[in-house]
Amino acid sequence: MKTLIVIGNGMVGYKFCEKLVSKKGHENFKIIVFGEEPRPAYDRVHLSEFFENQNAKALEMAPRLWYKENGIELITNTRITDIHRSKKTITSTTEQQYNYDYLVLATGSSPFVPPIKGIEKEGVFVYRTIEDLEGMLAYADKLNKEKPNAKAAVLGGGLLGLEAGKAVMDMGLEPHIVEFAPKLMPRQLDSRSSQVLQLKLESIGLNIHLSKATNQILGNDGHITGMEFGEDDKLDVDMLVISAGIRPRDELGKTCDLEMGVRGGIVVNNKMQTSDKDIYAIGEVALYNQMIYGLVAPGYDMAEVAANQILGKTDILMPDEIDMSTKLKLIGVDVASFGEPFMPASKGHSIIFENKTQHLYKRINVSLDGKSLLGGILVGDATDYNMLHQIYLNGMAIPEDPAQLILPASEGGASFGDVTDLPDEAQVCSCESVTKGQICSVIENGKATDVTGVVSCTKAGTGCGGCKPMVTDLTNATLKALGIEVKEGVCEHFDLSRQDLYKIIQVKGYTKFNEVLDNHGNGGHGCELCKPLIASLMASINADTANKEYAIQDSNDRFLANIQRNGTYSVVPRVPGGEITPDKLIALGQIAKKYDLYTKVTGGVRIDLFGATLRQLPLIWKELISHGFESGHAYGKSLRTVKTCVGSTWCRYGMDESVSFGIELENRYRGIRAPHKIKGGVSGCIRECAEARGKDFGLIAVEGGWNLYLGGNGGATPRHAELFAEQIDNETVIKYLDRYLMFYMRTAKPLQRTAAWQERLEGGLEYLKEVIIEDKLGIVQDLEDEMQTLVNKFECEWTQAVNNPEMMKRFNHFVNSEEEDDNLVFVPMRDQKMPQPWK
Amino acid sequence: MENILNTYTTTKLDNVNVWFKAALVSDFPKDGGACVKYKDKQIAVFNFERTQTWYACQNLCPHKLEMVLSRGMIGDQGGIPKVACPMHKKTFSLETGENLNGNLEAIATYPVKIENNIVYIGFSE
Ligand code: SRM
Ligand SMILES: Cc1cc2nc3c(=O)[nH]c(=O)nc-3n(C[C@H](O)[C@H](O)[C@H](O)COP(=O)(O)OP(=O)(O)OC[C@H]3O[C@@H](n4cnc5c(N)ncnc54)[C@H](O)[C@@H]3O)c2cc1C
Ligand code: SF4
Ligand code: FES
């Protein structure tokens, strides 16, 4: 038995182990892995996710148990200090010696910290390990408490620097990016695309400082207070994150005299061997072709080569050319570059599409003969990246007019390049080196029947995740080609789509979840996907309230309130159109005061009372109801608010009574359950103070009636509603809205807002007009009748609940005690209270 | 805060020393759950009416350490009975306590028995 020692348990060191133990012959090796960090290897690429959840476990590449099960001895928290090549031993920080037959160096790199005066000050961080992040979080937390507008800068405007910039912004600090070069991402972007990116980043709140050389870090009492660039050129900052490049951790190679690069890195050949044939180097410490590759994909390839070489498969070698294409993640703006992003004019032609108003830039570089794609840059919209990258990697033919590759579809751009056109050897997942052929074959030989199966069989998509959309397309296309219907089922319990279930429940008249499951499901007990969906369908069809079968309702519907961060609830009474009398306002204030509730005006023009315990909910509602309030359905996938402006009632520009009409509409559609929530807006004139075009339905008063807009959305993907009909009267508005909403409720996917539904509707707005106005499908009478039934059957579910002792039983924290949850802790917040922050 | 997790450890049927009389069967929703207080512990108890099976686990969700699991929705994943936390929908096996859609710590589970329409939960202490 030979001993193989791996030094470094980072991403590449781990991948090496994984690859090794999956191959025949590994049984002949005793494997020992040393890692300097306290925990087993984790996914550094997704390090920034740690800010969101502080869940180190979720980043783990594999748990400790995995190493054990695979016969690997993992020794963490231990650095190797020396290699004695003549004796074939190594020494650790604990002064222990170990013999080896083969050694693999996977020590990675460390952030480069430029020698600037004052850089050792407190509040200066690097961004590489979980410990770095914990340090930053603690420091930011302290700053946020001491100072309302603390600022943080990132030194370096490259790929990682921008990611760090987003991270400090998410920590609540004012973010600044300081870059030495005259542009952002100098290694990946040309000047124009860099400018577009800069505009976009500035629009989301990042402050950018270019062409700045930092000569000094200013401080007070040992902690950072600013950065100095020139004599009178300073930036006040309270924290600094350095992201100025990486340096290979090659100190072990140096001290044992392995061949080194002039600027560092341990030299390896295409077998990943260093100048000592028994010592291999992989990942960011290895200098291959005089380059350090700071990405995981080449590191994983190196791991594959080294594992094969050590097991005697000496014909597996590292390719000469390594793809360095990259796509930026996380920052909320798409940026990608592939192949040769900057190309000299002598080598080919560039085609550039730029739209600064939309922060959009696309460039592709095409060979002189116009036949192949050499590289490109995408800023603002990188949806084409996967396809372009594949065309480039596989040298696929491009259309006669290459501009089609990047033009928006409406401007003559064809959706060129279908996944099925790719050659079998096309590498779809570059992190795990999975080809199209491999993906298709696991489906063809029945090993996988859906995307989840493909991912677990091939590991595609488990690295950076960038290829996921492509894996999905490919899986669906392959299934289709095999004649297998791509399942649109809502979850493992139902193969049926929402639309099919809607029809079935309507025709069969089901009123209980178990009836639907037993007659049309796949067995089992249902889950958090199908239960609320079927509850919502039965409500849309039968006008049931959420009290009917409360155990299948989504958790908010179950308790008729929105659950908050500490398990207490919020209370939102309906205030139709936002109109409220002083008496009702006083009642709200008195009730909030009595139960010590945090009070706030919502983004939906009504008042939210937070911090009610389960037991308090019915007590509070009883009082609200006695003052004439009713449920606001803030918890349901149902109508929320119809926001209004004051309109001609008071406003000197008002063309119509927007408040009156808003109230009428809100009262008409209150309580109906839909695939997702629905919001409306009514503005009294085109100044649009009610922001009606940002709502699912919006009305704007104009000369001669209302303009009706449909399918708007705020949220993560804002979209303006589209003009559907002009100058129509109140009655026609209601007729069209009844039909529109009911048609949406019948046909949308689960949790699809009107905007997304309308956008994907074949035929688009024109088709919608044909259905709703011209009655092309002959269904408008049914739609109107169904809606009228729902309107007639409306009942306030809170009134229903507080008047029924059986229903009230639900609102107890314990079944066997009257006590409250003893785990609740509130802290003061300005003049009110809030739940104590999560750790 | 972290040590509150330590108050909950999985109890196997063999180790039960106390059968705590929690409440009547009819106090629990069908195919749903409710919370039982036992000394300083909060225990979520679920009634799988469809199969006449009962499960109990800690009420504390290991994700954000809130006392909410009893208010979660129950169901199954590939036949494994599970509960989905109402807060962020992390799901846990009610048999082993394992987090089915993530890497959170497993939750503690407890045996349940029904006698004369009364629900009992088993504890070792
Ligand atoms: C309370 C409130 C924030 C506030 O303090 O102002 C709020 C709070 C929440 N919003 Fe909102 N939204 C609130 C107005 C809005 C608005 C503004 C508006 O209505 O004009 C929007 C953008 C408009 C829109 O919907 O298109 C908005 C877009 C969202 C979205 C994104 C929806 C989308 O289609 O992308 C979500 C997420 C979701 O529903 O999946 C969301 C989800 C939520 C949830 C339910 C998050 C959650 O799952 O817990 C929050 C519930 C808190 C609670 O207990 O009440 N909230 N939310 C506002 C309540 C309005 C009300 O009176 O009912
Ligand atoms: C925030 C961030 C985002 C990133 N995003 C991307 C991305 O989107 N795409 C991409 O391709 N790449 C990205 N990267 C780069 C990627 O993480 C690295 O390429 C990859 O981690 C390199 O793996 P490695 O194993 O060579 O080095 P590392 O992951 O650094 O592992 C080396 C390990 O060896 C240990 N070690 C060093 N010396 C010793 C010693 N003497 N004894 C014992 N242990 C030792 C170190 O402590 C470390 O744990 C990102 C990096 C960061 C920091
Ligand atoms: S934007 Fe809405 S969902 Fe997000 S934190 Fe605010 S209230 Fe919650
Ligand atoms: S608190 Fe339970 S899933 Fe987040």
Side-chain angles (χ1 to χ4, degrees), chain A residues 17 181 219 230 285 449 494 509 589 620 683 694:
Chain A
C17 296
V285 71
T449 51
F494 288 96
I620 294 169
S683 278

Side-chain angles (χ1 to χ4, degrees), chain A residues 492-493 525 531 567 815 838, chain B residues 35 37 66 71 74 76 78:
Chain A
E492 66 173 80
H493 302 101
H525 310 308
K531 284 182 174 179
V815 270
W838 275 336
Chain B
C35 182
K37 187 173 173 69
E66 299 293 351
R71 287 176 260 165
I74 58 171
D76 78 295

Side-chain angles (χ1 to χ4, degrees), chain A residues 492-493 514 518 524-526 528 531 550 553-554 558 565 567 569 813-816 819 821-823 838, chain B residues 4 22 26 29 33 35-37 42 50-51 64-66 71 73-76 78 82 86-87 89 91 103:
Chain A
E492 66 173 80
H493 302 101
N514 282 343
D518 293 339
H525 310 308
E528 70 282 3
K531 284 182 174 179
Y550 67 84
Q553 305 289 340
D554 225 334
R558 173 167 172 185
R565 212 155 52 68
Y569 290 87
H813 190 81
F814 295 109
V815 270
N816 60 338
E819 281 166 63
D821 176 4
D822 47 12
N823 193 43
W838 275 336
Chain B
I4 182 171
S26 58
C35 182
V36 167
K37 187 173 173 69
Q42 297 196 15
R50 285 170 63 81
T51 49
K64 291 292 177 185
L65 304 183
E66 299 293 351
R71 287 176 260 165
M73 186 174 292
I74 58 171
D76 78 295
K82 64 168 183 180
M87 210 68 98
K89 302 264 157 75
T91 53
N103 294 317

Side-chain angles (χ1 to χ4, degrees), chain A residues 8 10 12 36-37 44 80 107-108 128 160 284 295-296 329:
Chain A
V12 175
E36 181 191 30
E37 294 188 60
R44 219 179 284 291
I80 298 304
T107 49
R128 176 105 196 155
L160 269 184
E284 288 188 342
L295 294 174
V296 279
K329 52 190 190 301

Side-chain angles (χ1 to χ4, degrees), chain A residues 6-15 33-48 51 75-82 91-93 105-111 127-129 132-133 159-161 163-164 243 246 249-252 282-286 293-300 302 325-330 431 464:
Chain A
V6 183
I7 306 182
N9 184 227
M11 296 187 78
V12 175
Y14 161 77
K15 190 54 67 175
V33 180
F34 289 91
E36 181 191 30
E37 294 188 60
R39 56 190 104 237
Y42 53 89
D43 181 356
R44 219 179 284 291
V45 170
H46 293 103
L47 190 62
S48 302
F51 285 119
I75 304 174
T76 51
N77 239 332
T78 305
R79 185 162 55 89
I80 298 304
T81 50
D82 286 292
T91 321
S92 73
T93 29
L105 301 177
T107 49
S109 64
S110 56
Y127 194 43
R128 176 105 196 155
T129 64
D132 293 337
L133 264 62
L159 206 67
L160 269 184
E163 207 176 302
S243 177
I246 53 170
R249 292 201 48 186
D250 54 10
E251 53 279 5
L252 286 173
I282 55 179
E284 288 188 342
V285 71
Y293 297 91
L295 294 174
V296 279
Y300 283 7
M302 293 177 179
S325 306
T326 37
K327 193 166 153 206
L328 184 67
K329 52 190 190 301
L330 279 173
C431 296
C464 71

Side-chain angles (χ1 to χ4, degrees), chain A residues 797-832:
Chain A
E797 48 205 3
W798 262 116
T799 313
Q800 213 176 37
V802 298
N803 290 329
N804 181 328
E806 196 45 37
M807 288 182 184
M808 292 280 278
K809 268 172 67 177
R810 206 184 319 164
F811 303 96
N812 270 329
H813 190 81
F814 295 109
V815 270
N816 60 338
S817 158
E818 306 265 281
E819 281 166 63
E820 293 282 11
D821 176 4
D822 47 12
N823 193 43
L824 285 180
V825 183
F826 290 99
V827 296
M829 171 49 134
R830 285 177 285 278
D831 292 330
Q832 307 194 58

